[in-house]
């Protein structure tokens, strides 16, 4: 696989442009937590449409096409979670339920092909949903505690690294493009973080980012060729953002985990030397 | 005399059973299993609108029946993961979610009826690729029938075109043409 050509750059840039336009249009509500999620969701939708040249069906035949459903659902959920009057219990139950739905949409229908054992299948689906929920809540807490530019910037770098690993070593340029669209859509959030240093990323943006990055990683492992250990490290990388002090330690740990995840992905994609068992008939002549 | 007549009937039935073909029905319908070693599915697609790119699927299985009038049924199964474009990295990409998504949809299938129309044959049926099923008609030519290499063999070849977008493979329309032409070379060995 090679890096995306220039045509892909335009598709990906569209996510940044649309996201920026949405944030600009919702400037009046800039102190609220929901515009970020809508902006990232809309930006992702723009790239999705351009990259695939069509909208997906309501119930697509292919798991990867659920990425758009996940993005839209995440943006709407982000709006709901941003409403102050939502009871605390729902702030936990909604992300947990959403994680379970995302995992089910991506793997539930096709999982029987891979895991003939029902018990093993359910364990894996539940495990993935819980892991996604835990990362979501950790990221939500980190975003709340660290307002300003750092969290959106780290997440942009994170999505970029996932994009590179998935497109170059995960056998899916399309999923890589999805992750790159997430990175591009986070771009305007980084700019907003620079302008409003006391404003956190917001529940909406965290919801869409968690859902989309999980979608890409799950699909890249189960339908592409991304190494599972690499995906696990990618999934855990945002946990490093929890520590606020010292900042350099948090950044160093985050970079180290991302770097290791990429190294594992690269290593797993290296072709093994094949021995076809056929003797070389010209060996004696040489 | 009665014993002799019964013996004659049993003996006649025995001889008829011995020489009759158990897979051949009363209408002369013969069943063939696809000889995977001598059957091919080749595809071609326009690459960046400057050339035609060819590849193949290495594992084809299934079977078909043909009667004396040229009618019958056909059931072909192609292993999606057996795609071969002579480049391992590209093969991984073709098997992945951008194209065939072979882990989700391991089989490409065609199931339908075979009919003879003059010198030509036609297979009408359901073609399923990447979880999308569509009715198609494949014009076929019967190459020949011969008792050779371990049994009665017959072969068909045909060509048909599909839209990759219609089967959910719409990624990179600027680089690859929408039309995929599939060339079939199917050899059946009498079961």
């Amino acid at each position: 696989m090679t890096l995306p050509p220039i045509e892909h750059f335009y598709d990906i840039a569209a996510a940044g442009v649309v996201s920026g336009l949405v944030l600009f249009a919702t400037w009046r509500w800039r102190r609220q937590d929901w515009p970020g999620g809508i902006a990232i969701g809309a930006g992702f939708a723009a790239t999705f449409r351009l990259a695939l040249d069509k909208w997906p069906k309501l119930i697509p035949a292919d798991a990867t096409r659920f990425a758009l459903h996940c993005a839209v659902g995440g943006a709407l959920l982000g709006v709901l979670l941003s409403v102050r009057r939502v009871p605390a219990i729902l702030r936990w139950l909604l992300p947990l339920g959403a994680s379970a739905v995302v995992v089910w949409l991506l793997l539930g229908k096709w999982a029987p092909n891979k895991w003939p054992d029902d018990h093993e299948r359910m364990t894996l689906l539940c495990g993935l949903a819980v892991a996604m929920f835990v990362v979501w809540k950790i990221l939500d807490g980190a975003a709340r505690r660290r307002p300003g530019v750092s969290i959106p910037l780290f997440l942009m770098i994170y999505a970029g690294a996932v994009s590179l690993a998935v497109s170059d070593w995960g056998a899916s340029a399309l999923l890589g493009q999805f992750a790159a669209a997430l990175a591009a859509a986070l771009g305007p959030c980084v700019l907003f973080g620079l302008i409003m240093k006391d404003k956190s990323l917001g529940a909406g943006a965290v919801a869409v980012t968690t859902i989309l990055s999980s979608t890409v990683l799950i699909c890249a492992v189960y339908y592409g060729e991304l190494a599972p250990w690499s995906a696990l490290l990618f999934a855990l990388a945002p946990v490093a953002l929890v520590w606020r002090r010292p900042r350099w330690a948090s950044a160093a740990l985050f970079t180290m985990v991302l770097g290791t995840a990429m190294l594992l992905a690269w290593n797993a994609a290296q072709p093994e030397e094949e021995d076809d068992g056929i003797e070389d008939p010209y060996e004696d002549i040489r | 005399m009665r014993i002799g007549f019964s013996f004659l009937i049993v003996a006649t039935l025995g001889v008829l059973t011995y020489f009759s073909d158990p897979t051949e029905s009363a209408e002369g319908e013969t069943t063939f299993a696809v000889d995977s070693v001598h059957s091919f599915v080749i595809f071609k697609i326009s690459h960046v609108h400057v050339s035609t790119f060819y590849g193949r699927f290495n594992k084809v299985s299934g079977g078909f029946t043909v009667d004396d009038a040229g009618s019958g049924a056909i059931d072909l199964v192609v292993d999606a993961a057996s795609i071969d474009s002579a480049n391992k990295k590209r093969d991984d990409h073709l098997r992945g979610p951008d194209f065939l998504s072979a882990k989700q949809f391991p089989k490409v299938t065609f199931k339908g009826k075979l009919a003879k129309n003059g010198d030509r044959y036609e297979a009408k049926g359901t073609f399923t690729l990447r979880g999308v099923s569509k009715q198609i008609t494949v014009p076929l030519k019967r190459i020949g029938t011969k008792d050779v290499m371990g049994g009665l063999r017959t072969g068909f070849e045909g060509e048909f075109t599909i839209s990759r977008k219609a089967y959910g493979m719409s990624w990179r329309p600027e680089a690859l043409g929408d039309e995929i032409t599939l060339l079939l070379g199917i050899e059946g060995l009498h079961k």
Side-chain angles (χ1 to χ4, degrees):
Chain A
M1 197 86 45
T2 52
L3 283 173
I6 193 71
E7 289 87 353
H8 289 201
F9 174 77
Y10 294 135
D11 296 351
I12 292 162
V17 172
V18 171
S19 170
L21 287 173
V22 171
L23 283 182
F24 185 70
T26 55
W27 180 257
R28 190 179 159 193
W29 298 280
R30 62 189 176 279
R31 291 281 158 201
Q32 304 279 324
D33 271 354
W34 58 267
I38 300 282
I40 296 170
F44 178 80
T47 298
F48 185 98
R49 176 66 180 80
L50 289 170
L52 286 168
D53 201 27
K54 66 193 280 194
W55 293 109
K57 288 181 180 169
L58 189 62
I59 301 172
D62 175 358
T64 55
R65 304 304 190 263
F66 275 114
L68 184 65
H69 299 63
C70 292
V72 172
L76 296 176
L77 185 65
V79 173
L80 196 61
L81 291 171
S82 304
V83 177
R84 289 185 199 284
R85 275 176 291 181
V86 171
I89 185 80
L90 278 183
R91 289 188 189 280
W92 287 83
L93 286 180
L94 285 174
L96 182 61
S99 303
V101 168
V102 167
V103 171
W104 180 255
L105 282 178
L106 300 178
L107 296 175
K109 189 178 167 188
W110 293 275
N113 291 333
K114 284 195 75 68
W115 306 303
D117 180 352
D118 268 359
H119 178 71
E120 185 190 350
R121 180 173 151 240
M122 282 312 293
T123 309
L124 233 140
L125 292 180
C126 292
L128 281 171
V130 169
M132 184 177 157
F133 167 72
V134 169
V135 171
W136 186 334
K137 292 310 284 182
I138 286 173
L139 196 55
D140 196 37
R144 237 182 279 247
R145 282 193 297 273
R146 289 174 68 166
V149 72
S150 66
I151 294 291
L153 184 63
F154 277 130
L155 290 179
M156 194 181 165
I157 293 167
Y158 170 74
V162 170
S163 169
L164 190 68
V166 170
S167 58
D168 268 20
W169 309 308
S172 178
L174 176 66
L175 290 173
Q177 212 172 348
F178 286 175
L182 175 61
L186 278 161
C189 298
V190 173
L191 288 178
F192 268 54
L194 280 171
I195 298 166
M196 296 187 290
K197 292 184 170 47
D198 58 336
K199 171 79 179 72
S200 69
L201 184 59
V206 169
V208 182
T209 302
T210 311
I211 287 174
L212 277 178
S213 54
S214 304
T215 299
V216 169
L217 289 174
I218 288 171
C219 288
V221 169
Y222 288 100
Y223 306 128
E225 297 292 332
L226 185 67
W229 285 109
S230 163
L232 184 69
L233 279 184
F234 272 124
L236 290 175
V239 177
L241 303 176
V242 170
W243 291 281
R244 279 184 295 172
R245 297 276 186 273
R247 285 203 167 194
W248 64 266
S250 170
L253 183 62
F254 179 75
T255 311
M256 200 174 72
V257 177
L258 270 194
T260 312
M262 292 184 77
L263 201 65
L264 283 176
W266 170 81
N267 184 54
Q270 296 312 301
E272 290 171 16
E273 288 213 5
E274 284 180 21
D275 180 10
D276 55 12
I278 300 170
E279 283 180 23
D280 182 359
Y282 302 102
E283 198 174 9
D284 294 339
I285 299 169
R286 274 201 288 267
Chain B
M1 188 65 186
R2 188 176 281 178
I3 292 167
F5 184 67
S6 300
F7 175 76
L8 190 66
I9 290 174
V10 171
T12 310
L13 283 172
V15 170
L16 283 175
T17 309
Y18 180 79
F19 286 105
S20 69
D21 187 339
T23 59
E24 203 163 305
S25 69
E27 296 82 25
E29 194 176 72
T30 315
T31 304
F32 294 89
V34 168
D35 177 0
S36 302
V37 179
H38 298 101
S39 297
F40 303 90
V41 175
I42 292 167
F43 65 88
K44 64 173 184 175
I45 188 167
S46 159
H47 181 241
V48 292
H49 308 291
V50 299
S51 67
T52 306
F53 174 85
Y54 286 80
R56 56 177 280 177
F57 290 91
N58 291 329
K59 287 185 187 163
V60 191
S61 58
F64 56 90
T65 57
V66 199
D67 65 15
D68 293 341
S71 301
I74 186 162
D75 187 357
L76 294 179
V77 180
V78 177
D79 184 353
S82 74
I83 195 163
D84 184 351
S85 68
N87 181 296
K88 194 200 170 288
K89 212 164 184 185
R90 183 169 53 209
D91 292 345
D92 285 343
H93 189 201
L94 292 171
R95 284 185 202 108
D98 298 3
F99 295 99
L100 292 169
S101 204
K103 287 181 182 171
Q104 279 181 83
F105 311 106
K107 305 283 179 205
V108 180
T109 60
F110 176 69
K111 195 168 188 171
K113 298 279 181 203
L114 200 62
K116 194 176 180 187
N117 186 10
D119 292 344
R120 308 288 295 184
Y121 286 78
E122 219 175 51
K124 277 187 185 174
T126 309
F127 180 69
T128 304
L129 169 64
R130 228 176 171 275
V132 180
S133 295
K134 290 191 183 294
Q135 292 295 312
I136 61 163
T137 301
V138 183
L140 292 168
K141 181 184 171 192
R142 196 166 186 174
I143 306 298
T145 304
K146 200 173 180 182
D147 198 340
V148 64
M149 286 173 70
L152 184 68
R153 289 171 181 268
T154 192
F156 289 94
E157 72 172 12
E159 184 180 318
F160 64 103
T161 302
I162 58 166
S163 152
R164 70 183 177 105
K165 198 172 173 177
Y167 290 89
M169 295 186 286
S170 53
W171 185 72
R172 288 204 74 184
E174 79 288 351
L176 296 167
D178 181 46
E179 278 194 355
I180 303 174
T181 301
L182 288 149
L183 296 99
L184 307 176
I186 305 297
E187 185 171 311
L189 175 63
H190 186 203
K191 281 210 280 194

